[in-house]
Amino acid sequence: MHPQKYEKMFWLILTMFMGIAAGFMLRRLRISSHIGKAISVTIYVMLFFLGVKIGQDENILGNLSSLGLQALLLAFAGAAGSVIFASLLYRLLKR
């Protein structure tokens, strides 16, 4: 890895740990109830900009039909696997 990548990784990890520390210190304040809403809004904004970026990429748009089918199959397989594993785990722990 290049030194710039290490520096970027350092700042990402440092930011995460600063957030953990802030959350620990602010856990008793009422503001923590609003954090979930802020996270949801942030995720929607990020997904919007991801869509904008995909819409600008001709490579992705040209292969959207095959990529879409693969994504659908992966999503279905992931959901089916989760349901199967959860039901097996439920049966195992129910005893």
Side-chain angles (χ1 to χ4, degrees):
M1 280 185 146
H2 297 288
Q4 288 177 336
K5 289 185 181 182
Y6 284 126
E7 185 178 345
K8 196 178 262 188
M9 191 181 318
F10 169 78
W11 287 110
L12 287 171
I13 293 171
L14 181 65
T15 302
M16 182 182 69
F17 280 116
M18 287 176 12
I20 291 170
F24 182 77
M25 290 186 286
L26 300 173
R27 67 178 179 241
R28 291 193 174 94
L29 295 179
R30 295 191 70 156
I31 192 170
S32 63
S33 64
H34 300 291
I35 291 175
K37 292 177 186 176
I39 290 171
S40 294
V41 169
T42 302
I43 290 171
Y44 284 118
V45 170
M46 289 172 61
L47 286 171
F48 172 77
F49 284 112
L50 177 64
V52 169
K53 183 68 176 166
I54 290 172
Q56 293 175 344
D57 192 332
E58 293 178 17
N59 234 357
I60 293 176
L61 290 177
N63 297 317
L64 196 56
S65 61
S66 64
L67 290 173
L69 179 61
Q70 289 174 355
L72 181 65
L73 291 174
L74 283 171
F76 179 75
S82 295
V83 169
I84 291 168
F85 182 73
S87 65
L88 289 174
L89 187 63
Y90 176 77
R91 289 180 187 171
L92 180 68
L93 296 177
K94 187 179 175 183
R95 294 179 186 182

